Amino acid sequence: MKSLIIVFSLALSNSVFAETFDLPSQHFGVIGSMRTVQSTYEDTLLDIARRANIGQNQMERVNPDVDRWLPGEGTLITIPSHYVLPRAPRKGVVLNLPEMRMYYFPPKKPGQPAQVQTYPISIGRMDWATPLGMTTITNKKKDPSWRPTESIRKEHAEKGDPLPRVVPAGPNNPLGAYAMRLGMPTYLIHGTNKPLGVGMRVSHGCIRMLPEDIEHLFAQLPVGTQVNIVNQPVKAGWYGGKLYLEVHPPLEEYPNDRGAVVEEVMVALDDAMNRRSAELDNTMIDEAIDQRNGLPQVITRGG
Amino acid sequence: METSNTPTMAEHLEDDIMRNSLKTTAAAFMLVALTGLTGCATTRDLDVLKLAVEKAQSTADAANAAAANAQSGADAATACCKANTEKLDRMFKQSMNK
């Protein structure tokens, strides 16, 4: 019986993908909640992040005192599964680059509440930045082969790691088992053969997802689905009478000084305060700006 | 009248008292000498004291040096540990690139 329970727990822990939440009304914009788990002796922070559907950078940011490689048995790990929705139409896919996260708003099914799914993603490195803007999914492919662009082949050749013109589907294919082409030429949403890199800036501009996540999403997204790629390091949203502020570090290619972040905060608050007014706690706003840890923080005074 | 060289009881007692008195004086003298309660130190006493202080200072200096050395070693180990973690993280990030 005991071994059955252990097997069941393991199966459960490996099957966690795609956090799905009931979508709040337009006046509200916060989903999920923070939680904590205890690490086991064998865990790394990378394993825990993958199991919890959290990107690697975000996981490290909210657990600054935990050793990424050796958290140790029984260490309390913060799981930041608490999100303010981006300022964007709640339709199709919204990719917010600074937080390295995707939000998918599936069509509402009759008799069921509207929902939102969220997934961690990898985005392009600084020299290979993922483009912003509105696009659509133009093509879908299971077991894709990878045809690296000339610039990628050149980069690899310079590092002494030449690439073939075509990398066939299989365990060495960096696209993983699924790829969805975007209307922006050469850019894809795809899986990966390096799942531990999800939640980092490691791609050539494509959107990389965990293998279990892309499999789940691939089945749901038809060709023509809208994909909105936004740059919102600061988000603000209401929940339960409180206004939450979520501040992420801006992407490296954008201004990173306090003044620039304050401007982003003003934009986010302006949008949120259009919905309803409230007395703001400037100390909490300053704290969120200083920390930039991507955790939603209450910034209204009183209950 | 018969004379004798044998001391009388009184003479015995007188001798004993004299001997005890001499012993007590010697012991007191030794005590004063040993405990340095004579009221003024000689140059030799000061030299001995100076030597003892210098030895203690030298021991303290050696202990300080050893502690500083240990701190420096610990700082170097911490810096090395941080550098290794940074290397590990960078290697990890590199390995995750496509």
Side-chain angles (χ1 to χ4, degrees), chain A residues 68-69 146 156 174 194 196-197 202 208, chain B residues 85 88-89 92-98:
Chain A
R68 173 184 261 183
W69 306 103
W146 180 41
H156 274 255
K194 295 176 179 176
L196 295 182
V202 286
R208 193 190 289 190
Chain B
T85 303
L88 209 59
D89 284 343
F92 169 63
K93 189 170 180 187
Q94 283 282 334
S95 73
M96 289 298 114
N97 288 346
K98 198 193 287 176

Side-chain angles (χ1 to χ4, degrees), chain B residues 22-65:
Chain B
L22 281 172
K23 274 185 192 168
T24 307
T25 308
F29 179 78
M30 287 293 286
L31 189 65
V32 167
L34 282 172
T35 53
L37 294 175
T38 51
C40 64
T42 64
T43 310
R44 187 178 150 75
D45 290 338
L46 285 175
D47 286 346
V48 168
L49 191 61
K50 198 176 164 193
L51 271 175
V53 169
E54 280 172 356
K55 193 177 172 189
Q57 185 60 52
S58 162
T59 307
D61 288 347
N64 267 341

Side-chain angles (χ1 to χ4, degrees), chain A residues 251-273:
Chain A
L251 296 168
E252 287 102 317
E253 57 269 39
Y254 291 92
N256 197 21
D257 57 281
R258 200 170 200 284
V261 177
V262 168
E263 274 184 36
E264 294 284 349
V265 169
M266 297 306 288
V267 171
L269 289 184
D270 193 40
D271 181 72
M273 299 290 275

Side-chain angles (χ1 to χ4, degrees), chain A residues 46 56-57 60-61 68-69 100 122-127 159 194 196-203 208 252, chain B residues 85-98:
Chain A
L46 305 160
Q56 296 300 348
N57 283 4
E60 200 177 19
R61 202 172 291 130
R68 173 184 261 183
W69 306 103
M100 290 185 240
S122 289
I123 62 170
R125 281 135 58 187
M126 193 170 167
D127 297 339
K159 287 180 181 170
K194 295 176 179 176
L196 295 182
V198 171
M200 300 166 72
R201 294 194 75 177
V202 286
S203 79
R208 193 190 289 190
E252 287 102 317
Chain B
T85 303
E86 177 69 22
K87 281 181 201 168
L88 209 59
D89 284 343
R90 284 191 195 187
M91 278 168 54
F92 169 63
K93 189 170 180 187
Q94 283 282 334
S95 73
M96 289 298 114
N97 288 346
K98 198 193 287 176

Side-chain angles (χ1 to χ4, degrees), chain A residues 5-205:
Chain A
I5 291 169
I6 290 169
V7 168
F8 177 73
S9 323
L10 285 174
L12 195 68
S13 67
N14 285 333
S15 69
V16 175
F17 56 82
E19 288 179 286
T20 302
F21 304 96
D22 285 350
L23 187 61
S25 76
Q26 283 291 344
H27 299 290
F28 299 96
V30 182
I31 55 171
S33 59
M34 295 269 289
R35 57 195 174 95
T36 54
V37 297
Q38 280 196 328
S39 55
T40 65
Y41 176 77
E42 295 82 5
D43 280 335
T44 64
L45 208 53
L46 305 160
D47 303 319
I48 299 168
R50 182 175 179 181
R51 287 202 298 267
N53 232 50
I54 302 295
Q56 296 300 348
N57 283 4
Q58 178 61 0
M59 194 65 168
E60 200 177 19
R61 202 172 291 130
V62 299
N63 291 284
D65 300 325
V66 177
D67 190 310
R68 173 184 261 183
W69 306 103
L70 276 176
E73 185 165 13
T75 302
L76 276 180
I77 309 291
T78 300
I79 306 293
S81 46
H82 194 201
Y83 316 99
V84 174
L85 294 172
R87 298 181 301 283
R90 296 174 174 183
K91 183 184 175 193
V93 171
V94 177
L95 302 170
N96 188 20
L97 301 187
E99 66 170 318
M100 290 185 240
R101 184 154 282 276
M102 169 190 286
Y103 297 87
Y104 171 51
F105 303 91
K108 185 179 177 307
K109 292 177 184 164
Q112 289 184 19
Q115 293 193 316
V116 54
Q117 299 171 13
T118 181
Y119 307 85
I121 55 171
S122 289
I123 62 170
R125 281 135 58 187
M126 193 170 167
D127 297 339
W128 300 85
T130 304
L132 298 170
M134 192 77 85
T135 186
T136 55
I137 290 172
T138 57
N139 191 14
K140 291 169 64 176
K141 179 86 176 154
K142 167 96 170 76
D143 295 323
S145 52
W146 180 41
R147 290 177 172 77
T149 60
E150 280 307 312
S151 51
I152 294 174
R153 292 188 70 226
K154 185 167 176 267
E155 184 198 63
H156 274 255
E158 283 167 359
K159 287 180 181 170
D161 175 30
L163 285 172
R165 290 201 173 276
V166 179
V167 179
N172 295 323
N173 187 321
L175 302 186
Y178 301 90
M180 295 183 278
R181 187 165 293 283
L182 297 176
M184 299 163 167
T186 76
Y187 291 99
L188 305 166
I189 298 174
H190 61 76
T192 181
N193 61 345
K194 295 176 179 176
L196 295 182
V198 171
M200 300 166 72
R201 294 194 75 177
V202 286
S203 79
H204 285 105

Side-chain angles (χ1 to χ4, degrees), chain B residues 63-79:
Chain B
N64 267 341
N69 201 23
Q71 183 64 51
S72 165
D75 289 346
T78 304

Side-chain angles (χ1 to χ4, degrees), chain A residues 203-219:
Chain A
S203 79
H204 285 105
C206 287
I207 303 300
R208 193 190 289 190
M209 298 180 73
L210 287 169
E212 54 272 29
D213 286 349
I214 187 81
E215 184 177 2
H216 188 236
L217 193 68
F218 187 86

